[in-house]
């Protein structure tokens, strides 16, 4: 009876929301939202009540059916009581997982022999241990096939050589980037043959028209004697190549050559000092003390 009354009350409340929504001017918007939410909650409550009524009806029908089949009240209560699932003890689960036998079966596991009264149990190997052992066998077979038969993977020495080759490439990339960070304040005078060969290639490509194929001087000055127009130190030569001397027709090579190329050609020019090429141009500028000292050392060695 109480379910029926509640159901009738909820059914009567449902039409209220459309009726109140017919004239929005009479009801504020917030109130309309609250009424809408209330209607939704009422419908949910109605659904729950309907499910409860249906469940109660099913229980009543079940009791009637069981009575018709001759069940007593005690049997009906026992039948309709939910069956509780019996949980296995934790010890049983643990024993099954590790393939252990319970203590109650210990006598069946005793091996026939003993030593000084000490007896041994014939416990089976745990399942997890057997599976782990099989996995190691499969892994070993796969390892042999991949690394020793088909050669798909690299052994330690081959991997070491690969890593060393990669490190060498990375080193060269680093050195090439570091070489291009040089400027007129950090350039160093070097005699490395690779640097001089690189500088010679740049000189032949860019400097020969003005300074001659042996730097003896054509339009530009002789670069092999002791005289310099803008300084003979490696820093001065680098700066002159980089920025040029517009007043005397010397172009700047800052945009055409990289810092490393300018450094290489500057070192190559310094290496030509005292080479005494044929048909040299007359000296221009002032003597450089360092070049004179270096020339004196060369003569002393000879």
């Amino acid at each position: 009876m109480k379910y029926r009354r509640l159901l009738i009350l909820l059914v009567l409340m449902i039409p209220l929301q459309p009726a109140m929504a017919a004239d929005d001017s009479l009801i504020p918007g917030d109130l309309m939202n609250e009424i809408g939410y209330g209607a939704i909650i009422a419908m949910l409550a109605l659904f729950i009540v309907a499910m409860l009524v249906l469940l109660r009806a099913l229980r009543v029908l079940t009791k009637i059916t069981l009575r018709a089949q001759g069940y007593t009240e005690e049997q009906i209560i026992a039948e309709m009581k939910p069956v509780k699932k019996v949980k296995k003890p934790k010890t049983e689960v643990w024993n099954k997982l590790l393939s252990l036998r319970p203590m109650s079966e210990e006598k069946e596991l005793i091996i026939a022999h003993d030593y000084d009264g000490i007896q041994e149990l014939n416990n089976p190997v745990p399942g997890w241990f057997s599976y782990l052992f099989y996995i190691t066998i499969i892994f070993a077979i796969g390892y042999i096939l991949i690394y020793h038969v088909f050669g798909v993977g690299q052994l330690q020495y081959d991997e070491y050589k690969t890593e060393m080759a990669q490190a060498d490439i990375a080193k060269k990339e680093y050195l090439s980037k570091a070489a291009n960070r040089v400027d007129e304040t950090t350039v160093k005078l070097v005699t490395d043959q690779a640097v001089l060969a690189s500088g010679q290639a740049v000189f032949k490509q860019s400097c020969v028209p003005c300074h001659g194929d042996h730097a003896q001087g054509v339009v530009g000055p002789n670069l092999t004697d002791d005289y310099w127009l803008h300084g003979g130190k490696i820093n001065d030569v680098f700066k002159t190549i980089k920025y040029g001397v517009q007043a005397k027709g010397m172009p700047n090579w800052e945009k055409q050559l990289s810092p490393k190329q300018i450094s290489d050609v500057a070192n190559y020019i310094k290496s030509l000092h005292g080479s005494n090429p044929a048909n040299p141009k007359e000296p221009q500028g002032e003597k450089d003390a360092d070049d004179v000292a270096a020339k004196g050392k060369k003569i002393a060695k000879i």
Side-chain angles (χ1 to χ4, degrees):
M1 180 65 68
K2 60 181 180 179
Y3 293 115
R4 186 181 303 171
R5 290 176 181 175
L6 181 59
L7 180 61
I8 294 171
L9 179 61
L10 292 173
V11 170
L12 292 175
M13 287 177 63
I14 292 174
L16 293 179
Q17 198 271 340
M20 288 186 291
D23 190 357
D24 293 340
S25 61
L26 299 177
I27 303 174
D30 294 340
L31 182 58
M32 286 295 299
N33 292 335
E34 292 178 3
I35 293 173
Y37 296 147
I40 294 173
I41 294 173
M43 293 182 67
L44 292 175
L46 176 61
F47 178 76
I48 294 172
V49 171
M51 292 297 101
L52 292 174
V53 172
L54 182 60
L55 179 62
R56 183 175 179 81
L58 289 174
R59 290 176 63 86
V60 172
L61 289 174
T62 302
K63 287 182 179 180
I64 294 172
T65 303
L66 291 176
R67 286 196 190 100
Q69 292 179 359
Y71 281 76
T72 63
E73 289 296 327
E74 291 78 7
Q75 291 175 332
I76 292 173
I77 294 172
E79 286 290 334
M80 298 185 66
K81 188 180 293 184
V83 180
K84 293 183 179 180
K85 188 176 181 180
V86 180
K87 294 184 178 180
K88 293 183 179 181
K90 293 183 178 180
T91 53
E92 291 185 13
V93 177
W94 184 255
N95 290 340
K96 188 174 181 180
L97 180 64
L98 299 181
S99 300
L100 300 178
R101 302 284 290 274
M103 294 295 294
S104 58
E105 301 178 7
E106 188 179 61
K107 293 182 179 179
E108 300 175 7
L109 302 175
I110 296 176
I111 299 177
H113 68 83
D114 64 75
Y115 182 78
D116 287 345
I118 300 174
Q119 293 179 313
E120 183 181 0
L121 297 179
N122 186 20
N123 276 316
V125 177
W128 65 268
F129 188 86
S130 299
Y131 297 142
L132 182 62
F133 178 67
Y134 299 146
I135 290 172
T136 58
I137 295 175
I138 295 171
F139 177 82
I141 295 173
Y143 182 90
I144 292 173
L145 293 175
I146 292 172
Y147 289 95
H148 295 278
V149 178
F150 300 114
V152 177
Q154 289 185 327
L155 294 175
Q156 289 183 344
Y157 183 65
D158 295 330
E159 189 174 357
Y160 168 76
K161 290 192 293 184
T162 301
E163 290 179 356
M164 290 300 295
Q166 293 173 349
D168 188 54
I169 294 171
K171 179 181 177 182
K172 289 179 180 178
E173 290 179 356
Y174 170 78
L175 291 177
S176 64
K177 292 179 181 178
N180 278 320
R181 292 174 187 160
V182 67
D183 58 19
E184 58 271 19
T185 61
T186 59
V187 64
K188 301 295 182 183
L189 183 64
V190 297
T191 57
D192 184 80
Q193 293 301 315
V195 172
L196 298 181
S198 174
Q200 183 181 21
V202 176
F203 184 89
K204 288 183 177 180
Q205 181 179 357
S206 305
C207 307
V208 167
C210 292
H211 295 280
D213 53 354
H214 296 290
Q216 73 274 15
V218 183
V219 178
N222 179 5
L223 301 177
T224 64
D225 56 19
D226 300 333
Y227 294 85
W228 297 89
L229 290 169
H230 307 287
K233 294 183 174 59
I234 186 66
N235 309 78
D236 299 326
V237 178
F238 185 99
K239 184 176 180 182
T240 303
I241 298 170
K242 181 178 180 180
Y243 299 110
V245 185
Q246 299 298 326
K248 296 185 179 180
M250 171 69 180
N252 68 74
W253 294 94
E254 183 178 10
K255 295 182 179 180
Q256 288 84 2
L257 301 177
S258 67
K260 182 180 183 304
Q261 288 177 315
I262 296 176
S263 173
D264 292 348
V265 73
N267 276 284
Y268 173 71
I269 291 170
K270 290 296 293 180
S271 71
L272 296 176
H273 175 253
S275 59
N276 298 319
N279 302 318
K281 191 175 181 179
E282 67 278 2
Q284 293 176 278
E286 299 178 357
K287 276 190 176 184
D288 184 88
D290 291 341
D291 281 351
V292 173
K295 189 174 182 181
K297 288 181 179 179
K298 287 182 181 178
I299 294 173
K301 287 182 180 179
I302 294 173

